Amino acid sequence: MAGRPEQEATAGARLSEKSGGAGRKVMAGCLSEFVNAIVGGEMPEGALLPSEAELMARFKVSRTTLRETMQYMVAQGLIRSRPRAGTVVQPRAAWNMLDPLLLDAALDHEQDFAFYDALLQAREVLEPVSARQAATNADNAALIAVTEAFEAMVEASGRDTEAWSQADLDFHTAILAASGNWVFVQFGVAIRGALLASFRLTNRASHSFDDAIALHRQLLEAIRLRQPDEAEAVMRELIARAREDMEQARPGAAEELKTR
């Protein structure tokens, strides 16, 4: 799914080498608009892209800027150039959805909740294990970070506030860090924006702030008391609650409940 590291590094270097702030701004604007057109479905999977001249006219950029933009998109798996066949939009499965630009576009355009469902599936696999390892490995600094995030959640005193969602994000990423597993830490860093959007969504749909706080406190205590089984179980419960809340937030959920 992700682009090859050497491709991403090369593309990133080329983008950063644009001379002058104006050039970088033009490049960023072209790239953002192009990515949104693909992720949003205006240029669907399998579609043949317009000619270079047409794309230059649409995005109002030079040939050099367009080609460097497309190099970045090739590296992220969005498009592929074929000899004598033109450039086509790749299947979604090939896209590097952990790229920040793609993440932002997906959060703007996603309508069927498939993106959030995939994110929850990843959390269901990784976070219970990270909680178990945090209960085993967390040092004092890690425990302080988890505790401070929990206290910020309590201080926010409302499930639908931005402060609550930010604190919720900090709590979960602090546990990933407390696990001592660098892969888990990088997971949290890579999809921080997506996690925050997910927390905003589920927190708005949640029915009980008090229940959520109680579960987070229970998880914190399990980590403090070095109880890995309990920490893993509570994390599973938290993510299960998040899935329930996501279903409540899904468009049409209220109407479906009325017909049952």
Side-chain angles (χ1 to χ4, degrees), residues 131 134-136 143 146-147 150-151 171 175 213-232 234 238:
T136 302
L143 287 172
V146 178
T147 301
F150 173 75
E151 290 173 348
F171 181 86
I175 290 174
I213 282 294
L215 278 172
H216 284 79
R217 178 180 285 109
Q218 189 178 346
L219 177 53
L220 172 59
E221 288 305 306
I223 293 173
R224 278 177 171 169
L225 297 175
R226 306 296 185 186
Q227 298 173 331
D229 289 344
E230 176 72 3
E232 179 178 346
V234 177
L238 273 173

Side-chain angles (χ1 to χ4, degrees), residues 7 110 138 145 150 184 228:
Q7 287 181 313
E110 193 63 44
F150 173 75
F184 293 167

Side-chain angles (χ1 to χ4, degrees), residues 8-207:
E8 294 176 22
T10 301
R14 284 174 178 150
L15 287 176
S16 65
E17 287 168 4
K18 287 295 292 178
S19 59
R24 287 191 295 271
K25 185 175 181 180
V26 170
M27 171 72 77
C30 176
L31 183 57
S32 179
E33 188 177 346
F34 212 152
V35 168
N36 271 278
I38 291 177
V39 176
E42 180 186 344
M43 298 177 179
E45 299 171 43
L48 180 66
L49 292 184
S51 69
E52 188 176 75
E54 291 174 294
L55 290 172
M56 288 167 57
R58 168 173 175 166
F59 297 121
K60 298 180 176 60
V61 294
S62 67
R63 179 175 282 104
T64 298
T65 297
L66 178 65
R67 288 181 176 178
E68 291 181 347
T69 297
M70 292 180 73
Q71 286 173 359
Y72 184 91
M73 294 170 66
V74 168
Q76 303 311 320
L78 284 171
I79 59 177
R80 178 184 177 187
S81 295
R82 297 175 177 174
R84 296 184 296 278
T87 302
V88 298
V89 178
Q90 290 273 72
R92 191 181 185 90
W95 301 355
N96 176 20
M97 293 303 298
L98 297 185
D99 177 77
L101 280 173
L102 271 68
L103 269 177
D104 287 345
L107 294 172
D108 285 341
H109 292 290
E110 193 63 44
Q111 296 178 353
D112 62 1
F113 276 46
F115 181 85
Y116 293 103
D117 182 61
L119 180 61
L120 273 173
Q121 288 178 29
R123 292 183 62 198
E124 286 166 347
V125 172
L126 295 179
E127 288 199 73
V129 179
S130 75
R132 167 179 282 278
Q133 292 191 357
T136 302
N137 301 326
D139 58 19
N140 286 339
L143 287 172
I144 289 171
V146 178
T147 301
E148 288 178 344
F150 173 75
E151 290 173 348
M153 291 180 70
V154 174
E155 185 177 349
S157 70
R159 60 180 169 77
D160 59 347
T161 66
E162 181 66 14
W164 162 266
S165 295
Q166 289 282 352
D168 198 2
L169 172 65
D170 290 341
F171 181 86
H172 285 267
T173 53
I175 290 174
L176 291 170
S179 72
N181 186 311
W182 69 267
V183 176
F184 293 167
V185 175
Q186 287 302 307
F187 169 77
V189 170
I191 63 170
R192 187 175 178 87
L195 282 172
L196 180 58
S198 176
F199 288 142
R200 285 169 176 158
L201 177 75
T202 55
N203 289 337
R204 285 196 301 267
S206 178
H207 294 298

